[in-house]
Amino acid sequence: MPAPDILLLRPMQASVMEALEAAFALHRLDTATDPSARLAEIGPRIRGLAVNAHAPVDRALMERLPNLEIVSSFGVGYDTIDAREAGRRGVIVTNTPDVLSDEVADLALGLLLATVRQIPQADRHLREGRWPQGSFPLTATLRGRTVGILGLGRIGRAIARRLEGFGVAIAYHGRRRQEDVPYAYHPTLLALARAVHLLMVVAPGGPETSGIVDAAVLDALGPDGILINVARGSLVDEAALIAALQAGTIHGAGLDVFANEPHVPEALSALGHTVLLPHVGSGSVHTRAAMGQLVVENLVSWFSGKGPVTPVAETPWSGRT
């Protein structure tokens, strides 16, 4: 029996592409001279997609892949995939949860500390030879502060567990109260922002959460407030954030994600109380290898008749073949 045809939209890690080539008939759209013509040629044969977090999979693409069975996505977020449309068509969508939760949580705590204590700014103060002329200014603190978490999913819980060791109060907002955690629950994001000093954004991206951290939320966070975002840039109204930072409406921000990656507004880079990272939340050799392996495992498991390993909520696996 011939190997199933798999389409790769954009390049992925070499180890992932090698594993896919070994198990399937792999087609790469990123190397095609005319991607549209190539898609017209091979589209009817494609049964699986391997995609990274920034490769859009929408209705138009699915219509060109009439025999598509599964989309295996690299990353925990899958807001660039129309999972509801996939579910309507009977297409399974998988992501790579759990294997990156601890890595992202570690990075989130590092970004939080770097922003509160201005660690990059202090590093520059020393490197630029300014220490002999004066000590680095005193910074904000975690002492006596409450940290609010927007989105208490796998990563949010991993962050909360780490925060417990810092002796800070923890609160959260999500779609529902979670009875098995000891943290204070707030039924609205605005109420959470009013109650905390630092707001950690870890909720999923997508239309439902687009721009939910808006001017009103930032105003509620207040002049001592700090925003940390390790989720998706789409959750934060970037223009409102820039205005709030410039006006002193909030104290600072630590961002690993942006609205139009990899392009970052110059206004954000110019601000002194920001720490900006190039979307590196899961960016360790160890974790990216585990994520890539799960992309391959989902495809191998599916085409061996065992079903997907990590299907997303919109396309649950019922055991059908």
Side-chain angles (χ1 to χ4, degrees):
M1 182 179 294
D5 289 87
I6 302 296
L7 180 62
L8 186 71
L9 296 182
R10 296 182 183 177
M12 298 177 76
Q13 294 164 266
S15 60
V16 174
M17 293 192 289
E18 290 168 4
L20 292 174
E21 285 178 337
F24 305 105
L26 183 65
H27 306 272
R28 294 183 58 180
L29 201 61
D30 62 297
T31 59
T33 304
D34 185 340
S36 182
R38 180 64 174 154
L39 196 58
E41 175 190 353
I42 64 172
R45 305 206 312 264
I46 298 302
R47 297 173 61 193
L49 276 178
V51 300
N52 60 32
H54 300 291
V57 179
D58 55 15
R59 179 179 180 180
L61 176 60
M62 285 185 258
E63 286 179 346
R64 303 190 71 179
L65 306 172
N67 293 304
L68 183 65
E69 300 172 26
I70 183 170
V71 179
S72 185
S73 179
F74 182 96
V76 67
Y78 53 95
D79 48 295
T80 57
I81 300 171
D82 191 340
R84 288 190 176 88
E85 176 65 18
R88 190 184 69 80
R89 293 170 176 268
V91 175
I92 291 290
V93 177
T94 67
N95 62 345
T96 59
D98 297 323
V99 294
L100 53 66
S101 296
D102 285 330
E103 201 74 78
V104 176
D106 289 347
L107 189 281
L109 265 292
L111 182 56
L112 175 65
L113 290 172
T115 306
V116 172
R117 296 300 311 277
Q118 297 186 45
I119 294 174
Q121 294 90 332
D123 176 84
R124 289 196 296 271
H125 185 84
L126 182 149
R127 291 176 185 272
E128 293 170 0
R130 288 182 279 153
W131 192 6
Q133 284 75 52
S135 298
F136 187 74
L138 300 180
T139 70
T141 181
L142 282 181
R143 303 305 101 226
R145 297 295 190 258
T146 299
V147 179
I149 300 175
L150 171 58
L152 200 67
R154 293 180 178 93
I155 296 173
R157 283 177 173 241
I159 290 170
R161 289 194 298 271
R162 285 156 174 76
L163 284 170
E164 289 177 6
F166 286 86
V168 297
I170 301 168
Y172 72 100
H173 167 69
R175 283 174 284 192
R176 65 185 184 281
R177 182 191 299 271
Q178 301 188 33
E179 302 297 340
D180 61 339
V181 297
Y183 319 126
Y185 174 71
H186 294 272
T188 68
L189 176 54
L190 201 59
L192 177 67
R194 291 192 184 107
V196 303
H197 304 92
L198 303 104
L199 179 61
M200 179 79 70
V201 179
V202 207
E208 294 179 357
T209 57
S210 180
I212 59 171
V213 181
D214 56 15
V217 170
L218 296 169
D219 186 63
L221 192 56
D224 294 325
I226 290 176
L227 177 75
I228 306 294
N229 188 4
V230 294
R232 284 286 187 266
S234 62
L235 276 79
V236 176
D237 181 335
E238 211 162 73
L241 174 60
I242 291 169
L245 288 165
Q246 290 173 336
T249 303
I250 66 171
H251 178 72
L255 309 172
D256 185 44
V257 289
F258 303 88
N260 186 30
E261 296 178 4
H263 307 290
V264 178
E266 178 59 33
L268 276 176
S269 301
L271 291 163
H273 283 185
T274 59
V275 177
L276 311 177
L277 304 179
H279 203 151
V280 294
S282 63
S284 73
V285 173
H286 168 86
T287 294
R288 291 288 172 86
M291 292 165 64
Q293 182 178 351
L294 190 49
V295 167
V296 177
E297 287 177 358
N298 269 295
L299 291 166
V300 170
S301 181
W302 175 261
F303 288 109
S304 66
K306 298 176 184 177
V309 181
T310 52
V312 304
E314 292 88 346
T315 62
W317 170 240
S318 64
R320 67 188 187 281
T321 58

